[in-house]
Amino acid sequence: MASILKRGTKYRAMVSLMVNGVRRPISKTFPNKKDARLWCERLELEKTSGKDLSSRNQSFITFYYNWMTLIKRNDVRDSTYNNYVRAYSIFKDMFPAIKMKDLDDIYFQKKLDEYGKTHAQKTVHELALKLRTCLKYAYAKGLISSDFASLIKAHGQQTLKRNRALSIADMSKLKKYLLAHSNADFNVFLLLVLETGIRRGEALGLRSDDLQPYEIRIRRSISPTSSDTSLKNSQSKRTISVTQTLYNLLESIDVKENGYLFNTNGFQQSHKLKNLLRKLNIPATTIHGLRDSNASYLFSKGIDLVYVSKRLGHESISTTRDYYLNLMPEKKHEQNVHALNLFDSL
């Protein structure tokens, strides 16, 4: 049974629900009677379809916590789950009391935009992804009446990209230095990432039995936030060809007491790399930036996209295309000249 009451200049819509044999109301306030009536009609239809409307009275933060601990906990790796937990600590402050029945895209957009005034766009993007995922689930369960998750956008402060790809000239300069100082394990580690494009955790997870003549097998990944050594996705388990020079250097490394080739060194690899690049007068980047450099270099030389995607261990080719299809600076100049020549000859 639905009812609409006028309260001042607004209208309060109410729909009665039966919860464990007890009649309980669910209500919402609207600026006009038409919207209130449409809301009542929609909920009455949803009641007849068997949707659990009573759960719409729970707070969003309660729903997110239950969804995170009961649903996502068994779907993702420990390190990924920790990201959901960190998001939860932020959401508790952003959405402290709002109920599921009152949610809409405008509410979330305002809150995210406010957060984005003091945080990087990438950070806001990660939060928006988690919101969209949990709201999709909420809609499927009938806890929200419309599927507005895709309308939520991530806005935030633009920051300089840390994972920038090195130019071909700087890659060559770095490689020559690493080869000349390959007596240090860290330099071999950098050379490994530069020449193969494997992730930091994958490089740290290498054991001596992962080496075979001129190939390395990627079977595990070491994380700074979890003891879980499983790989990022099913495509990450792969075998990568390496040069004879790199293979010989990896073979010469003394295996550490824990069985791995490289020490984690407090996961300070990017910091140490930054100091080395400053010394060599090469623009700063991160360990992941070396992975970007590897992919960009292969693309600039015309290597097939499918091959690069498999070598990088991406879950799909679209990931490679969307995130790594950035030409090297030298290649961009070459393409610009070629494009202009084409128009000159038109």
Side-chain angles (χ1 to χ4, degrees):
M1 187 73 177
S3 62
I4 299 175
L5 299 175
K6 187 174 182 180
R7 297 288 182 87
T9 60
K10 296 185 178 182
Y11 294 83
R12 186 186 183 194
M14 185 179 301
V15 175
S16 295
L17 307 175
M18 290 298 294
V19 182
N20 297 325
V22 179
R23 188 174 297 279
R24 294 181 180 177
I26 179 172
S27 63
K28 189 172 182 179
T29 301
F30 295 88
N32 58 71
K33 191 173 183 178
K34 179 182 178 181
D35 288 344
R37 186 175 65 254
L38 289 174
W39 181 81
C40 288
E41 292 174 353
R42 185 173 67 247
L43 260 64
E44 289 292 347
L45 287 173
E46 291 177 350
K47 279 172 58 179
T48 60
S49 67
K51 291 188 176 179
D52 182 15
L53 302 187
S54 63
S55 294
R56 293 183 179 182
N57 268 325
Q58 69 177 307
S59 68
F60 168 74
I61 198 62
T62 298
F63 161 74
Y64 180 89
Y65 178 81
N66 290 334
W67 169 79
M68 175 185 72
T69 55
L70 299 177
I71 305 301
K72 297 307 293 183
R73 185 67 187 89
N74 297 320
D75 285 348
V76 297
R77 301 170 62 208
D78 287 347
S79 56
T80 302
Y81 179 72
N82 289 337
N83 291 333
Y84 282 93
V85 174
R86 282 191 286 271
Y88 171 69
S89 66
I90 297 172
F91 290 158
K92 283 195 296 184
D93 293 329
M94 292 178 70
F95 320 118
I98 191 166
K99 295 183 178 181
M100 298 297 292
K101 65 184 179 67
D102 298 321
L103 297 179
D104 58 28
D105 56 298
I106 301 300
Y107 171 80
F108 282 114
Q109 196 63 65
K110 287 181 178 179
K111 291 290 187 178
L112 281 179
D113 287 349
E114 182 179 343
Y115 188 80
K117 291 178 181 178
T118 55
H119 293 82
Q121 195 273 339
K122 181 180 179 181
T123 302
V124 182
H125 174 71
E126 292 299 323
L127 293 178
L129 285 178
K130 292 171 178 59
L131 283 177
R132 293 183 196 127
T133 305
C134 75
L135 290 173
K136 286 283 186 182
Y137 180 84
Y139 176 70
K141 297 289 288 185
L143 301 183
I144 54 178
S145 57
S146 62
D147 185 12
F148 57 81
S150 60
L151 300 177
I152 300 173
K153 307 299 180 184
H155 307 127
Q157 295 184 341
Q158 296 297 323
T159 57
L160 293 176
K161 184 179 179 183
R162 297 175 62 243
N163 303 329
R164 59 182 297 174
L166 299 179
S167 68
I168 295 175
D170 286 332
M171 282 184 69
S172 179
K173 185 177 182 180
L174 176 60
K175 178 183 176 181
K176 289 178 181 177
Y177 175 87
L178 297 176
L179 286 173
H181 300 80
S182 57
N183 57 312
D185 284 1
F186 179 66
N187 290 339
V188 178
F189 172 87
L190 293 180
L191 188 64
L192 170 65
V193 177
L194 186 66
E195 288 198 6
T196 65
I198 63 176
R199 302 175 178 92
R200 178 183 68 170
E202 293 172 345
L204 293 175
L206 283 179
R207 296 175 177 270
S208 59
D209 56 3
D210 295 322
L211 306 179
Q212 47 192 15
Y214 316 130
E215 289 182 334
I216 58 171
R217 299 188 304 168
I218 306 301
R219 296 294 182 267
R220 66 197 68 81
S221 180
I222 304 299
S223 168
T225 59
S226 170
S227 59
D228 180 15
T229 61
S230 60
L231 295 170
K232 187 171 185 179
N233 57 63
S234 60
Q235 300 303 314
S236 295
K237 185 178 180 180
R238 61 204 189 277
T239 299
I240 302 175
S241 299
V242 297
T243 63
Q244 181 176 350
T245 300
L246 177 57
Y247 176 78
N248 290 338
L249 289 174
L250 293 171
E251 278 275 271
S252 67
I253 292 178
D254 293 330
V255 178
K256 309 304 179 286
E257 290 185 2
N258 59 9
Y260 295 107
L261 294 182
F262 301 104
N263 286 317
T264 58
N265 291 319
F267 297 91
Q268 295 295 309
Q269 290 82 10
S270 285
H271 178 71
K272 294 179 66 176
L273 172 63
K274 181 179 179 180
N275 292 335
L276 174 59
L277 295 179
R278 185 187 298 117
K279 172 183 173 181
L280 298 177
N281 197 29
I282 295 176
T285 191
T286 62
I287 299 298
H288 197 89
L290 297 185
R291 175 172 163 86
D292 288 359
S293 301
N294 174 278
S296 297
Y297 178 68
L298 294 179
F299 290 137
S300 74
K301 296 302 181 181
I303 300 298
D304 184 73
L305 178 65
V306 175
Y307 172 82
V308 177
S309 181
K310 290 182 177 180
R311 188 175 175 88
L312 293 174
H314 284 161
E315 195 164 17
S316 68
I317 297 176
S318 62
T319 302
T320 315
R321 181 180 60 247
D322 294 344
Y323 294 97
Y324 287 91
L325 201 52
N326 297 311
L327 296 177
M328 307 294 284
E330 293 90 342
K331 190 68 174 181
K332 287 182 180 180
H333 176 72
E334 176 187 323
Q335 294 296 301
N336 285 336
V337 172
H338 182 53
L340 294 176
N341 286 340
L342 287 175
F343 281 109
D344 279 340
S345 62
L346 185 64

